[in-house]
Amino acid sequence: MSTRDAGVFVIEDPHGTRRVTAIDFPLSIGGAQSDVQLLPGDAARTFAHLGLAGDDLFVQAVETSGREIRVNDAPLSGSRWLRPGDELRVDGSRLRVEASAGKIRLIAEPGSPDHLAAPVLTPPPREGDLSRLGDLIEPVAFTPRITGSGLTPRNRLASPGRYLALGLAVLALVAVGALLYSAQAIEIAVQPTPDLLRLDGGLNFAVAGRHVLLAGSYTLVAEKSGYTRLETPLVVAADGNEPFFFRLELLPGLLEISTGELVGADILIDGELAGRTPLERPIEVAAGEHELRLSAPRHQDFVEHLTIEGAGALQSIVARLEPRWAPVQMSSDPAGASVRVDGRSLGTTPLTLELGAGSHRLELSLAGYQAYTAAFPVVAGRPVTLPRVRLAPLAGIVQLASVPPGAAVTVDGAFEGKTPLELVLAPDRAFEIKLSRAGFATASLALQVKSDERREMTVELDAQLGKVVVSAWPPDAQLSIDGEPRGHASQTLMLPTTPHLFEIRKAGFEAFSQTVTPIPELTHSLEVRLRTFEELETLAMPPTYNTAEGHELRLIAPGRFRLGAPRREPGRGSNEVIREVDLTRRFYVGAHEITNRQFRRFRQEHLSGNVAGRSLETDHHPVVNVSWQDAAAYCNWLSEKEQLPPAYVRRGGTLVAARPRSTGYRLPTEAEWSWVARFADDGASIKYPWGDSLPVADGSGNYADASARAIVANVLTDFSDRFPTTAPVDAFRPNARGLFNLGGNAAEWTHDFYGVGVSREVLTDPWGPESGRHHVIRGSSWRHSTITELRLTYRDFGTGARPDVGFRLARYAE
């Protein structure tokens, strides 16, 4: 029994025994103040949480607890799945996971520290050390003995006739053997077992429940009483013996429906019109579960879920449809008001109407009085008497305008519409009027009118401003905002916080336009480089191309998205801060990770090494055990081969990003990596490489599966990708952009220095911090299996080489 099979969890700890369900998760583990008490004393803080991902139970350590936590004697870092039989230990206390009677029991046993000895593992023999392999088998020389044989006259056929007979017999045996050799025993299963089963179209016979058939085309015929006759083609391949399975379909059943004296009721089966009462004959309905709905004017629908037996069986339904209207009485003071219900004129008050069930809108109007409008419900079969309506005398009217127009207007807090607007106000009382519009301060005024007074008012709104800094090339390009010329494009402006159309133009260049919405107290930077018409010709970039070394690169359109993960997402790391990113430049990114063979073209002596005796050197596997500097050097080498400007320059003995940014080969920025891994062109995102939920989908990538149990501590026990370490760079299906292994196989170096910054501003084409000790590593690898690491927002960092970290190429398209 797995934790996903249990809907109820039972906790036993010093608090007592109690039941919890999925809505109670997550649960804290710690001292007496935690949900599950595993440590003595009130002061012990929470050191871990129990959570559910879908229906699976997992434990996640609290990074700041400072305690050593072990699961099944393996240290816990990040998160790990829990299953029946697992045991969590900390400071001599333990938490056991047991399955019993359809429930998962979490049994806490606080105690004194229990120092466990680490398991003793026998390492594999070193190369050339055969002392632990046992006795060797030594080869010995031998000479095979050849015995002679010969035919005597008695062995020969005595006459030509016997030769002929023997030859015919041999030919017959060969023919039969060829027939049997080319025929195949095929299993053909039909459910339920038919009364008649035959195959037409060639030689065939049944042996021990199978059909012996030659390769070719046949027609399968199966019949059974109460079922639809099956007649279907069946093709037997020359090199296949796969079984064939078929299922007979029940004949439809017959349904008889009566609605008594009510005629004209529509009969709908599963939403499809099947007839109208009264029926002349029963309706044929396919066997199985169906929804029957009867619908008639001024009556409530009759709905019933049926199980049709099928096989021609007759079933009957007698249905009663309840009326869906009721009498409604209405009156007014004074009487004689015109009555409109749902827009239809129906008389004057007092008045009684028959109205259908549901919500209705009542309008009363009388000369010299304000119109009255109200909504009221009607329940079928329940008479309604509406309260008497006291009509109010005509109010004053204010024609309200604003500069600029379109301001939202509220009267005593109730929204009335947008300017210009006519307000109808009760006479001789004060009202608080407020006008608000995006980009402008809210205006407030007190207003009082007399009965039947008419007044016109215009309110000028004060603009709220935000800063926009425009930097444009060429320097003499001209700027216009909302169609109004503003001079040279490069300038700083204070504008109302509403959308504005920025246009930058210069003769001989492609015009630029973009809508910008300034934000109060924030600076919006707009960097624009106009393209010449010659540059525009380069925009017809191919969607894919191959480098001089055969790397396939794919063109990626830019977009705006959110980098990072929400705080409450299960498995989220503290460094996955959400930041708003705007990628504005098209770029190419490698469809595959760089392979060992490709990297050795650059550095012949490189060795990816091995792990636990398993080689990482295979030509078409990703190159690993490369540092960030190694990866940057490879990018520059490839740029030089194609006569592109280098993306990295040597400074102080190390490679750093070149300024300004070039179109040479480089590593993807962290933002670019996240954009191509998590998001589609329309901005839709995914959580994992295979989708938005666990478990790991088959064929989705190379992760720490059951085959890696001897190499890594935590594995996905219910998942197999057949590769304990690295896999071919094209072994698994690509993502929606045609990119392989953005999750699993090798984690990947990115261009950025590592940092955990928080920014309220939109980051445009970010390249990360200017300096740092570490670089960002993105994506899971063949070592990873936890919910933390499998997510596409997982962030790692490092400087040196690792056996599970490689890289892929990127470059700007323009």
Side-chain angles (χ1 to χ4, degrees):
M1 174 180 177
S2 66
T3 58
R4 67 169 51 230
D5 299 320
V8 175
F9 295 80
V10 177
I11 297 175
E12 299 180 13
D13 66 356
H15 292 310
T17 299
R18 58 201 180 278
R19 295 173 46 161
V20 296
T21 59
I23 61 174
D24 301 306
F25 284 83
L27 302 173
S28 58
I29 311 175
Q33 302 303 316
S34 300
D35 299 322
V36 180
Q37 182 179 356
L38 191 56
L39 298 176
D42 293 338
R45 299 190 337 184
T46 294
F47 64 85
H49 289 90
L50 291 171
L52 287 180
D55 297 320
D56 291 318
L57 181 68
F58 68 92
V59 62
Q60 180 169 329
V62 175
E63 297 176 354
T64 59
S65 70
R67 297 183 181 275
E68 182 182 15
I69 308 167
R70 304 179 76 87
V71 177
N72 298 336
D73 208 37
L76 173 65
S77 62
S79 59
R80 174 170 176 161
W81 303 115
L82 291 179
R83 292 175 174 81
D86 286 349
E87 183 177 276
L88 181 148
R89 287 177 176 267
V90 61
D91 293 350
S93 301
R94 65 179 184 170
L95 177 67
R96 293 185 289 113
V97 183
E98 295 183 357
S100 174
K103 304 180 180 66
I104 295 297
R105 306 178 72 85
L106 303 173
I107 304 173
E109 298 180 356
S112 60
D114 185 4
H115 301 286
L116 298 177
V120 178
L121 301 178
T122 302
R126 299 180 180 272
E127 182 177 357
D129 181 8
L130 305 179
S131 61
R132 285 184 283 123
L133 298 180
D135 295 335
L136 300 178
I137 299 175
E138 297 292 342
V140 296
F142 75 97
T143 302
R145 185 176 61 180
I146 302 174
T147 60
S149 62
L151 296 174
T152 65
R154 291 185 180 181
N155 301 121
R156 301 172 185 163
L157 294 175
S159 67
R162 294 182 65 182
Y163 278 113
L164 178 59
L166 179 59
L168 292 174
V170 170
L171 287 175
L173 289 174
V174 169
V176 172
L179 175 62
L180 294 176
Y181 179 79
S182 60
Q184 303 173 67
I186 304 295
E187 178 185 355
I188 301 175
V190 180
Q191 293 293 333
T193 302
D195 301 330
L196 168 67
L197 176 66
R198 75 170 189 270
L199 280 169
D200 299 333
L203 176 63
N204 68 86
F205 54 90
V207 176
R210 291 175 175 258
H211 293 259
V212 179
L213 305 173
L214 294 174
S217 299
Y218 298 82
T219 298
L220 174 68
V221 177
E223 296 179 354
K224 184 176 179 62
S225 177
Y227 290 81
T228 302
R229 182 176 187 268
L230 172 67
E231 183 172 346
T232 183
L234 186 146
V235 178
V236 178
D239 57 350
N241 60 355
E242 296 182 356
F244 292 88
F245 297 98
F246 302 92
R247 180 170 293 277
L248 298 179
E249 294 184 2
L250 271 171
L251 287 171
L254 300 177
L255 183 60
E256 191 175 61
I257 301 171
S258 172
T259 55
E261 297 180 356
L262 178 63
V263 298
D266 288 340
I267 302 171
L268 293 95
I269 306 294
D270 298 328
E272 296 292 332
L273 183 63
R276 187 170 285 111
T277 62
L279 290 172
E280 295 182 1
R281 64 180 64 86
I283 302 172
E284 287 190 355
V285 182
E289 301 291 330
H290 297 279
E291 181 193 75
L292 168 66
R293 181 179 295 272
L294 302 179
S295 180
R298 290 172 53 83
H299 288 78
Q300 301 180 42
D301 285 0
F302 173 88
V303 180
E304 185 168 324
H305 292 274
L306 305 176
T307 300
I308 300 299
E309 300 172 5
L314 177 65
Q315 296 172 247
S316 298
I317 293 289
V318 176
R320 174 179 172 81
L321 278 66
E322 299 294 336
R324 60 177 184 184
W325 56 271
V328 179
Q329 293 183 356
M330 52 194 69
S331 59
S332 67
D333 184 12
S338 297
V339 177
R340 294 174 64 87
V341 176
D342 300 330
R344 293 184 301 137
S345 217
L346 299 177
T348 58
T349 58
L351 186 64
T352 299
L353 301 171
E354 289 183 355
L355 298 178
S359 180
H360 297 276
R361 185 174 184 83
L362 170 65
E363 298 174 68
L364 300 180
S365 59
L366 185 63
Y369 292 85
Q370 296 182 33
Y372 171 84
T373 302
F376 63 94
V378 173
V379 178
R382 296 184 182 178
V384 177
T385 300
L386 297 177
R388 182 185 298 272
V389 176
R390 296 188 179 276
L391 299 176
L394 282 173
I397 296 177
V398 176
Q399 298 291 339
L400 183 61
S402 67
V403 178
V409 178
T410 62
V411 177
D412 288 345
F415 176 73
E416 295 293 337
K418 293 185 176 182
T419 58
L421 178 70
E422 180 179 274
L423 295 179
V424 178
L425 304 177
D428 303 322
R429 57 159 293 197
F431 294 91
E432 182 183 31
I433 312 295
K434 290 187 176 181
L435 295 87
S436 58
R437 190 181 190 277
F440 295 85
T442 299
S444 180
L445 61 149
L447 187 61
Q448 182 172 329
V449 296
K450 297 179 179 179
S451 178
D452 206 20
E453 177 186 1
R454 290 186 172 270
R455 185 188 305 182
E456 293 183 357
M457 295 184 64
T458 299
V459 178
E460 187 166 342
L461 302 177
D462 295 327
Q464 286 183 315
L465 303 179
K467 180 187 287 187
V468 179
V469 177
V470 182
S471 176
W473 187 91
D476 57 346
Q478 298 297 301
L479 169 69
S480 65
I481 301 176
D482 299 330
E484 180 181 334
R486 292 295 188 104
H488 286 308
S490 296
Q491 56 178 294
T492 298
L493 306 108
M494 298 298 295
L495 299 172
T497 54
T498 55
H500 299 278
L501 178 62
F502 279 63
E503 296 177 284
I504 300 176
R505 301 177 184 274
K506 177 177 169 60
F509 290 79
E510 179 192 27
F512 168 86
S513 66
Q514 180 176 320
T515 299
V516 175
T517 303
I519 301 174
E521 301 179 5
L522 289 180
T523 299
H524 187 104
S525 297
L526 187 62
E527 297 183 4
V528 178
R529 183 185 186 279
L530 297 184
R531 301 184 182 95
T532 65
F533 293 121
E534 291 79 8
E535 289 175 316
L536 291 177
E537 295 179 359
T538 67
L539 292 179
M541 292 287 182
T544 63
Y545 82 93
N546 290 335
T547 70
E549 288 295 310
H551 311 88
E552 179 186 348
L553 273 74
R554 290 183 172 269
L555 183 64
I556 305 298
R560 184 163 178 164
F561 66 101
R562 302 185 78 186
L563 188 67
R567 294 175 62 88
R568 295 183 176 274
E569 180 173 292
R572 175 191 183 272
S574 59
N575 61 354
E576 299 172 25
V577 179
I578 290 181
R579 290 164 287 172
E580 196 78 19
V581 171
D582 187 12
L583 298 179
T584 64
R585 299 180 66 175
R586 295 188 302 173
F587 61 95
Y588 284 99
V589 67
H592 305 90
E593 296 162 330
I594 301 300
T595 66
N596 282 307
R597 176 184 295 168
Q598 291 167 337
F599 194 79
R600 282 196 288 265
R601 292 267 298 167
F602 158 65
R603 187 173 292 168
Q604 186 174 2
E605 70 277 8
H606 175 76
L607 295 175
S608 287
N610 67 81
V611 176
R614 297 182 181 272
S615 175
L616 305 175
E617 297 285 344
T618 306
D619 281 352
H620 56 291
H621 285 214
V623 64
V624 293
N625 277 320
V626 289
S627 67
W628 187 93
Q629 290 289 321
D630 295 332
Y634 182 88
C635 294
N636 274 3
W637 172 75
L638 189 58
S639 295
E640 184 178 0
K641 287 180 72 70
E642 297 189 8
Q643 298 182 346
L644 294 172
Y648 303 100
V649 295
R650 193 165 293 280
R651 186 176 300 155
T654 60
L655 292 173
V656 298
R659 300 289 183 177
R661 306 175 185 184
S662 79
T663 56
Y665 292 106
R666 56 177 173 79
L667 300 174
T669 67
E670 182 179 13
E672 290 170 343
W673 192 98
S674 183
W675 174 241
V676 300
R678 292 187 59 211
F679 296 87
D681 288 337
D682 61 1
S685 68
I686 56 175
K687 182 177 179 181
Y688 301 100
W690 57 88
D692 287 323
S693 63
L694 293 169
V696 180
D698 290 339
S700 60
N702 176 20
Y703 308 102
D705 67 340
S707 68
R709 190 186 302 276
I711 302 173
V712 296
N714 293 331
V715 298
L716 297 163
T717 57
D718 297 331
F719 175 74
S720 174
D721 55 46
R722 302 181 295 107
F723 294 98
T725 57
T726 58
V729 296
D730 59 354
F732 301 94
R733 59 177 175 264
N735 70 359
R737 297 182 184 271
L739 308 179
F740 293 79
N741 292 312
L742 286 165
N745 215 12
E748 299 176 13
W749 288 114
T750 68
H751 174 89
D752 303 28
F753 280 111
Y754 176 76
V756 188
V758 178
S759 175
R760 295 177 57 191
E761 297 185 2
V762 177
L763 304 177
T764 302
D765 298 323
W767 272 35
E770 291 293 328
S771 61
R773 290 185 55 198
H774 305 283
H775 284 86
V776 176
I777 300 172
R778 291 301 298 265
S780 54
S781 77
W782 59 266
R783 281 181 162 181
H784 294 147
S785 64
T786 68
I787 189 173
T788 296
E789 301 155 338
L790 295 178
R791 297 171 308 111
L792 288 171
T793 55
Y794 172 61
R795 299 182 78 215
D796 199 356
F797 60 89
T799 54
R802 279 178 20 192
D804 68 330
V805 176
F807 68 99
R808 72 177 68 224
L809 296 174
R811 61 168 295 207
Y812 281 123
E814 51 189 332

